[in-house]
Amino acid sequence: MKQDTLVVHEVYASIQGESTFAGLPCTFVRLTGCNLRCAWCDTPQAFYSGRRRARSDVLAEALGMATPLVELTGGEPLLQPGALPLLSELCDAGRTVLLETSGERDIAAVDPRVHRIVDLKAPGSGECSRNRWDNVGLLTPRDEIKIVLASESDYHWARDVIVRHALADRVAAVLLSTAFDTVPPRDVVAWMLRDRVPARFQIQLHKYVWAPDTRGV
Ligand code: SF4
């Protein structure tokens, strides 16, 4: 069955770096493949390479890392039918489970015990038209929204979306960050203070920890 296997780029332990769980030891299961091509994507290595493995084998390796927190990421994990049962099995094993998803896939079938970290793609990503807005109505206070900014106009877009959809009332956190080498973080923080945006600014903590090695961390 298709659900019994997954194409996996890597399984590894690191520090969670991009959510309200940032700073906690975390096991990452990075699946191969993505149907988007964000201009600033920092994991293009996950587009193609990887190996098809039994889901039971992936589960055992992730649990063997022995971190209370496990994150399924990519690429885009929800492209693979085996992702949904793997998420549930990780929850069954008592782990706190995070899912990083692009926001293009339907999140309705994800186990409700999972904390879904859902991207909204700003125009500077080049993939804004792929946002699945129906997902917004499915979000709960367990979930988080992440918006990566590459310009001031991306910030204006994010600010308007946050207000229009009352995002701060729906989720645990609305997370704003900047794509590397684009808009200065200090500018975004100043705009947030000026506009009183109900969001949380974040940096990619794991990249500071492991710099200059920024791949697969
Ligand atoms: S959705 Fe994620 S993995 Fe896919 S291109 Fe965008 S940033 Fe990269």
Side-chain angles (χ1 to χ4, degrees), residues 34-38 40-43 47 74-76 102 119 121:
C34 188
N35 54 341
L36 304 190
R37 289 293 181 269
C38 301
W40 35 252
C41 179
D42 60 358
T43 51
F47 289 167
E76 171 46 56
S102 69
D119 283 6
K121 299 299 185 188

Side-chain angles (χ1 to χ4, degrees), residues 18-94:
E18 287 191 274
S19 70
T20 63
F21 295 86
L24 294 174
C26 181
T27 296
F28 292 85
V29 178
R30 187 182 299 285
L31 300 188
T32 299
C34 188
N35 54 341
L36 304 190
R37 289 293 181 269
C38 301
W40 35 252
C41 179
D42 60 358
T43 51
Q45 72 274 21
F47 289 167
Y48 305 110
S49 58
R51 180 163 70 85
R52 185 169 290 282
R53 299 172 55 182
R55 194 178 81 230
S56 57
D57 178 39
V58 179
L59 175 68
E61 184 177 1
L63 296 179
M65 298 270 180
T67 59
L69 190 63
V70 180
E71 175 172 316
L72 189 60
T73 186
E76 171 46 56
L78 294 183
L79 289 171
Q80 299 195 40
L84 292 175
L86 178 63
L87 287 165
S88 294
E89 288 162 347
L90 290 165
C91 292
D92 293 344

